[in-house]
Amino acid sequence: IELGTRKIYVSGCTTNPDTTWITQQARQLVWELKENDREKAYLIHDNDTKFTSSFDNVFSSEGIDIVHTSYQAPKATGIAEQWVRSVREECLDKILMLNDNHLHRVLKEYAQ
């Protein structure tokens, strides 16, 4: 989520998000940002173990500073937490997803 514009970027969807998959999603997001000529200064994320140094390196190599939130501080990512709650209550809890592609399409449409 871009904090200034509230623009949502939807990455891939999977039932098993491991470190390799997460890092690939980071690469694809960086490519998308470059295609749209959108430069970012910071990436804020929590301390989930899936966000390893390889994930951070993708953004650092593009000149994006990494900001880690404090442990057990959900209010630090309040905008993202609110978006997740909204998409869940208003959309995902009402639709039976058929597969990963269906979920991805629904999320992209909801984000628009």
Side-chain angles (χ1 to χ4, degrees):
I1 300 174
E2 285 184 21
L3 295 181
T5 63
R6 299 292 200 259
K7 178 172 174 37
I8 305 293
Y9 293 92
V10 178
S11 65
C13 301
T14 184
T15 56
N16 301 308
D18 61 5
T19 301
T20 305
W21 187 85
I22 295 282
T23 302
Q24 182 59 36
Q25 297 310 304
R27 286 186 195 104
Q28 288 177 277
L29 175 59
V30 167
W31 295 333
E32 182 179 345
L33 294 173
K34 281 184 178 180
E35 286 176 4
N36 296 329
D37 292 329
R38 300 185 78 85
E39 292 191 24
K40 302 293 172 237
Y42 301 98
L43 174 74
I44 302 170
H45 70 74
D46 62 14
N47 296 287
D48 191 310
T49 56
K50 291 180 192 78
F51 299 129
T52 61
S53 60
S54 64
F55 176 86
D56 288 350
N57 289 340
V58 171
F59 294 99
S60 296
S61 68
E62 297 297 322
I64 299 172
D65 293 330
I66 308 299
V67 177
H68 294 272
T69 61
S70 300
Y71 287 94
Q72 297 180 343
K75 290 183 180 180
T77 55
I79 293 169
E81 298 289 341
Q82 180 60 46
W83 189 84
V84 169
R85 181 178 177 189
S86 295
V87 73
R88 210 170 151 189
E89 289 178 356
E90 297 171 9
C91 182
L92 299 179
D93 287 349
K94 297 176 175 126
I95 299 173
L96 180 62
M97 296 302 149
L98 302 175
N99 55 37
D100 292 347
N101 290 331
H102 184 218
L103 174 60
H104 192 256
R105 281 195 320 267
V106 168
L107 287 174
K108 284 193 91 151
E109 187 168 327
Y110 181 83
Q112 289 176 350

